Amino acid sequence: MRPVFAVVGHPNKGKSSIVSTLARNDTIRISQQSGTTTTADCVRVETAHAGYELVDTPGFQRPGKVLEWLQQKGVAADQRVAVIQQFLADEQCQQRFPDEIRLLTPIMQGAAILYVVDGSRPFGVEYEAEMEILRWTGQPSMALINPIENEDYVESWSKALAQYFKIVRVFNPFQADFAKQLALLEAFAHLKPEWREALDQVNQDLIQFREQQKQDSAELLARLLEDLCQYRVSQKVLEKSQADVVYPVLAEKYHHWMRQREQQTITELLAVYAHFQTKISVDELHLPPDLFDCEHWFMWGLDKQQLAIAAALAGATAGAAADMVVAGHSFMLGAIGGGILGFGSAWLGADKLQQMKVKGLPLGGFEAICGPVSNPNFPYVVIGRFVYLYQQISRRNHAQRTPLVINPLNLNEQIEQLDKADRKALHAACARLIKQKTVDSLSLLLLPLLN
Ligand SMILES: Nc1nc2c(ncn2[C@@H]2O[C@H](COP(=O)(O)OP(=O)(O)OP(=O)(O)O)[C@@H](O)[C@H]2O)c(=O)[nH]1
Ligand SMILES: [Mg+2]
């Protein structure tokens, strides 16, 4: 027997938002417009070894009139469930009160009740009719206070709801983090003893699944880093001078591929967290928009000093350490010396990023080559961008429908939180990556950065 919960309440109180967040499903319709949900929609929440169902329902439209109808039957407490059944079967009622019929049907079929109210709006007697009708169904129930705009009336709601519901919880579907979602599921398990085992299993499954999502994310970042650090394009030319002509074409091809590759990872990361409706493309990122927008790099990667420390920790040779310091220096010049868009952009233009080379071929002719990136800060930039998106996406509740707002990340702060061995291993990995050397268990080294 699967646990089933009907999410009911006034229109526009966040019922669908709660279903969306708990089911991790961003296709459920949520809108400012009252009366968005018009049918009782069953949403299955499947985990590895268990599952449960949430029924999203339309809001009560005429609870006062419905209660009047029920009370006119004038029956004692032991008859109330039968009166509700009668109400559902009555053809006139079906026409007059279609929303109440739809929302009460799953409850009478055995669903437990999750009654949702808005904690930022005052309690009013008009809600009493709804709560009274729900009480007549005799089904186990709990109340959820959703503080949509603020918590101003949470306390007064708590007092009112306690008279009708044994369990009252505050739950904000836009903000509730993973732990709060698990805690709510635990409360669900108290509603019916026979559902307890299944819901405990769901909880355990979710915890494991979340760990798996993190590992999958680390794997995505590892593959991205390897690909971006290794990529190069080349073209054969007959004369050395022709290389100058093909460089712009090669550079364009190179940048296009690198951008696409990063974009692909972002799409995959969104899919890992089941955010299929959140469309973000690198081009739309507010800040900094572009993998090749070098003057913004310092916001994602490391600065001069941090790079020097990284080089020292990685045990780099004196030469490599000097490279890193020079690279860091150039970022700071780009940022401060020339102003964000002035001198810095010319000096640190994208064409400085990857190596352009022309090489003589043994059988005659030449090869013009673009890439791979040689700048030691590059792996950090890739990591910084990914970690920022990871933090946003992995914490994003599925009720959230506004676009992701991108801000720069202080990667160094994240790195400093690692213990010394992890930090050292990470820097060593970055130093190898930029030399196109393989790194064993790269995803494991990246995992501690994903929190
Ligand atoms: N900021 C914020 N807005 C919320 C929250 N919960 C719901 N909303 C907003 O409230 C409005 C209604 O949310 P829905 O989830 O569609 O409400 P509903 O109860 O399913 O509405 P109907 O289907 O029309 O009965 C939407 O504009 C949501 O964005 C919340 O926790 N925080
Ligand atoms: Mg709805």
Side-chain angles (χ1 to χ4, degrees):
M1 218 184 38
R2 262 175 182 252
V4 186
F5 302 89
V7 184
V8 300
H10 235 55
N12 225 25
K13 299 300 176 197
K15 300 182 293 297
S16 299
S17 302
I18 288 173
V19 173
S20 178
T21 286
L22 290 179
R24 294 170 177 76
N25 181 331
D26 63 356
T27 62
I28 291 162
R29 282 190 64 211
I30 291 172
S31 125
Q32 287 178 334
Q33 217 150 17
S34 177
T36 300
T37 308
T38 53
T39 53
D41 306 322
C42 181
V43 180
R44 284 164 182 268
V45 183
E46 304 280 355
T47 63
H49 307 97
Y52 71 101
E53 287 169 22
L54 291 165
V55 188
D56 191 12
T57 68
F60 280 97
Q61 290 297 334
R62 301 165 71 193
K65 290 271 181 260
V66 172
L67 188 60
E68 241 172 59
W69 189 96
L70 297 173
Q71 283 168 337
Q72 266 171 14
K73 301 287 158 184
V75 287
D78 64 335
Q79 298 288 306
R80 286 178 182 166
V81 172
V83 174
I84 297 260
Q85 298 283 19
Q86 216 178 312
F87 170 80
L88 293 182
D90 187 289
E91 274 183 25
Q92 266 190 346
C93 291
Q94 288 168 7
Q95 280 179 5
R96 283 178 68 198
F97 311 112
D99 290 315
E100 280 78 4
I101 296 275
R102 287 186 192 117
L103 78 92
L104 287 171
T105 300
I107 296 173
M108 296 312 287
Q109 287 168 350
I113 297 163
L114 303 179
Y115 180 63
V116 180
V117 300
D118 176 1
S120 55
R121 296 288 166 88
F123 169 76
V125 283
E126 67 272 24
Y127 294 94
E128 286 190 36
E130 296 174 0
M131 295 193 280
E132 188 59 19
I133 294 168
L134 293 173
R135 186 149 70 178
W136 277 47
T137 67
Q139 282 299 90
S141 60
M142 75 186 271
L144 296 178
I145 306 175
N146 175 15
I148 292 189
E149 278 161 39
N150 53 57
E151 305 211 342
D152 289 358
Y153 296 95
V154 167
E155 223 178 289
S156 76
W157 267 110
S158 300
K159 282 184 198 146
L161 291 165
Q163 294 172 45
Y164 289 85
F165 302 91
K166 263 192 285 196
I167 308 175
V168 179
R169 288 286 154 97
V170 177
F171 187 78
N172 183 329
F174 277 42
Q175 279 157 26
D177 61 14
F178 185 61
K180 287 205 177 104
Q181 294 175 31
L182 289 185
L184 184 64
L185 263 177
E186 235 161 74
F188 287 0
H190 289 282
L191 288 181
K192 261 196 188 182
E194 60 265 43
W195 288 352
R196 179 143 214 136
E197 203 178 313
L199 290 170
D200 285 349
Q201 185 65 55
V202 166
N203 242 351
Q204 276 180 32
D205 286 353
L206 286 175
I207 292 168
Q208 263 180 18
F209 184 58
R210 197 156 175 86
E211 193 49 42
Q212 184 62 49
Q213 287 174 310
K214 193 162 131 177
Q215 287 172 19
D216 291 349
S217 304
E219 196 63 42
L220 285 179
L221 174 56
R223 300 290 84 78
L224 176 70
L225 269 170
E226 286 169 352
D227 285 357
L228 292 185
C229 289
Q230 276 169 23
Y231 186 67
R232 71 201 270 285
V233 280
S234 65
Q235 193 177 323
K236 286 187 183 130
V237 287
L238 287 174
E239 301 292 333
K240 211 169 182 175
S241 61
Q242 287 173 332
D244 292 341
V245 184
V246 299
Y247 276 153
V249 183
L250 282 185
E252 181 53 39
K253 199 170 156 190
Y254 177 83
H255 289 166
H256 179 76
W257 189 91
M258 298 281 274
R259 285 193 183 97
Q260 290 290 313
R261 183 64 190 80
E262 192 193 40
Q263 179 64 57
Q264 178 199 333
T265 296
I266 295 170
T267 308
E268 285 168 353
L269 181 63
L270 284 165
V272 165
Y273 286 90
H275 285 293
F276 298 106
Q277 309 299 312
T278 307
K279 293 269 181 285
I280 45 169
S281 87
V282 176
D283 293 339
E284 286 164 21
L285 302 185
H286 294 308
L287 228 183
D290 197 324
L291 196 57
F292 300 100
D293 189 356
C294 299
E295 68 269 23
H296 277 138
W297 265 24
F298 69 98
M299 292 183 175
W300 298 101
L302 303 182
D303 67 22
K304 175 186 165 190
Q305 207 182 1
Q306 293 161 353
L307 272 173
I309 294 167
L313 258 179
T317 60
D323 277 357
M324 282 204 180
V325 173
V326 170
H329 187 60
S330 65
F331 292 118
M332 294 322 282
L333 261 189
I336 301 159
I340 296 284
L341 288 168
F343 165 66
S345 63
W347 201 64
L348 288 170
D351 58 340
K352 299 275 180 218
L353 180 60
Q354 72 288 337
Q355 289 173 336
M356 290 282 198
K357 280 180 296 199
V358 57
K359 201 171 77 179
L361 294 170
L363 297 177
F366 296 87
E367 189 180 26
I369 305 160
C370 182
V373 183
S374 59
N375 196 306
N377 208 1
F378 186 71
Y380 297 100
V381 173
V382 175
I383 294 171
R385 290 161 68 88
F386 183 94
V387 169
Y388 182 82
L389 282 171
Y390 169 83
Q391 288 178 351
Q392 303 301 306
I393 292 168
S394 65
R395 289 175 175 85
R396 184 174 169 90
N397 284 352
H398 290 74
Q400 289 269 14
R401 302 295 159 86
T402 47
L404 274 183
V405 179
I406 304 296
N407 289 304
L409 168 97
N410 187 339
L411 179 65
N412 198 51
E413 221 167 69
Q414 309 284 319
I415 293 177
E416 301 239 295
Q417 282 168 19
L418 304 179
D419 61 46
K420 198 170 174 191
D422 284 349
R423 224 180 313 155
K424 195 176 162 183
L426 180 74
H427 291 314
C430 287
R432 285 183 69 83
L433 281 166
I434 207 62
K435 294 195 153 51
Q436 293 79 52
K437 290 182 184 157
T438 55
V439 178
D440 291 335
S441 316
L442 180 55
S443 66
L444 286 181
L445 300 179
L446 297 166
L447 201 58
L449 279 173
L450 304 184
N451 280 309

